[in-house]
Amino acid sequence: MYAGVEIGGTKTLVGFGHSPEDLSDIVRIETRGPEETLAAVANAIKDQAAGQRLRGIGVASFGPVRLDRKAADYGRILKTPKPGWSGADILAPLREFAVPVGLATDVGGAALAEGEWGACAGLAHHLYVTVGTGVGVGVVADGRLIHGVLHPEAGHLLVRRAEADEGFAGVCPFHGDCLEGLVSGPAIAARLGRPGETVAADDPVWTTIADYLAQMAAAFTLVLAPQRIVIGGGVGGQPHLLAGVKSGLRARLGGYLPHLDDDGALEAYVAGPALGGRSGVLGALILGREAALAAGA
């Protein structure tokens, strides 16, 4: 079997198996400090793997994280506003299992899973965007995750400010009013003084959020030409928000791309995740499988 670990900003999930059909009950661990969290991950794997053959482990982690295997800090969290995690070696506790380990971002893992079993099954070029505590983007081209010097950090794109946001500085500690600083859960809470999950579906703030995400989707569409964009996360996965993003995207494209210039095409082009909250863990299983195959394990 394979172990899949999704390390998120608020929770860490551990699952075992090969696919959605045989995925084990998922172990949930609160994401606290790195030592406590990663020790709990290792213990969960030990408990489940006892007496079984563990072929590989996949880790899909929040970022930024170093994914270049040639880098001296491979597997470490880079500079992050999450207290205590900058420089954390997230692979260190897993080396004791002596099996191949695959690594990607949490949103990259989700993109892989949606491509194999979910909303993008059968598509070679697609994106997964998560909008929650932060904004992350996983890019799949020709069926493979795209990484350069670093993984995509499109959550920090700059967007045109809405008039309704005049005077709102944004919450990103690095850029203030980048995309993440304007649409994330903490950004909504900072605007309104209450958690985003308490905001009614007809609140005007959603129009503003939808426009920013439509700008993001337009940029991805024009630069990467994917076959589908999946938007999930605690903020992004809400149906009323997706409807606004689709409407805004059509307006932003202005009829320039004929293959998206009708409601039916646009409806299929921007979608919610089909795997729900399991996307990241299932993607981590894929990473473990790919690592094992590459190592001949």
Side-chain angles (χ1 to χ4, degrees):
M1 68 173 184
Y2 302 101
V5 181
E6 179 188 7
I7 305 175
T10 58
K11 66 182 183 298
T12 294
L13 306 178
V14 185
F16 305 87
H18 300 80
S19 70
E21 285 69 34
D22 66 358
L23 180 67
S24 70
D25 290 338
I26 295 175
V27 178
R28 176 179 171 133
I29 300 164
E30 297 304 313
T31 304
R32 298 189 173 91
E35 291 186 7
E36 179 182 357
T37 303
L38 298 173
V41 167
N43 287 334
I45 296 175
K46 286 178 186 176
D47 291 343
Q48 186 69 26
Q52 301 191 59
R53 184 189 175 200
L54 182 65
R55 293 189 62 195
I57 301 172
V59 179
S61 173
F62 73 89
V65 58
R66 184 71 71 195
L67 301 180
D68 181 0
R69 288 183 173 271
K70 297 178 181 178
D73 57 351
Y74 170 69
R76 291 185 179 271
I77 299 291
L78 304 179
K79 187 176 182 180
T80 175
K82 188 165 181 59
W85 281 84
S86 294
D89 185 350
I90 59 176
L91 301 183
L94 305 180
R95 296 188 179 105
E96 65 176 287
F97 295 99
V99 297
V101 178
L103 175 65
T105 60
D106 50 356
V107 70
L112 286 175
E114 291 291 338
E116 183 153 342
W117 301 299
C120 300
L123 304 180
H125 314 284
H126 56 89
L127 308 179
Y128 187 100
V129 181
T130 184
V131 185
T133 305
V135 176
V137 181
V139 179
V140 173
D142 287 329
R144 299 180 63 84
L145 275 178
I146 296 300
H147 300 141
V149 174
L150 190 63
H151 49 79
E153 281 287 0
H156 296 278
L157 286 171
L158 299 179
V159 292
R160 292 180 179 175
R161 298 294 301 273
E163 289 185 10
D165 259 356
E166 184 177 351
F168 179 59
V171 301
C172 175
F174 299 101
H175 313 114
D177 63 351
C178 63
L179 181 67
E180 181 172 292
L182 294 172
V183 306
S184 64
I188 296 172
R191 276 189 191 85
L192 304 179
R194 63 185 190 277
E197 57 265 28
T198 68
V199 181
D202 60 354
D203 192 290
V205 73
W206 295 117
T207 300
T208 301
I209 301 301
D211 178 64
Y212 289 139
L213 293 178
Q215 292 184 54
M216 171 204 70
F220 293 157
T221 299
L222 295 168
V223 173
L224 298 173
Q227 294 165 283
R228 185 160 297 153
I229 298 174
V230 175
I231 302 178
V235 173
Q238 301 184 56
H240 64 84
L241 182 59
L242 285 178
V245 174
K246 293 173 185 180
S247 175
L249 174 59
R250 185 170 188 175
R252 292 284 177 180
L253 293 177
Y256 181 69
L257 300 176
H259 69 287
L260 293 176
D261 200 26
D262 67 74
D263 291 337
L266 205 59
E267 184 66 26
Y269 180 64
V270 178
L275 300 174
R278 302 184 301 163
S279 296
V281 168
L282 288 167
L285 291 183
I286 295 174
L287 294 169
R289 181 189 71 201
E290 290 181 346
L293 290 173

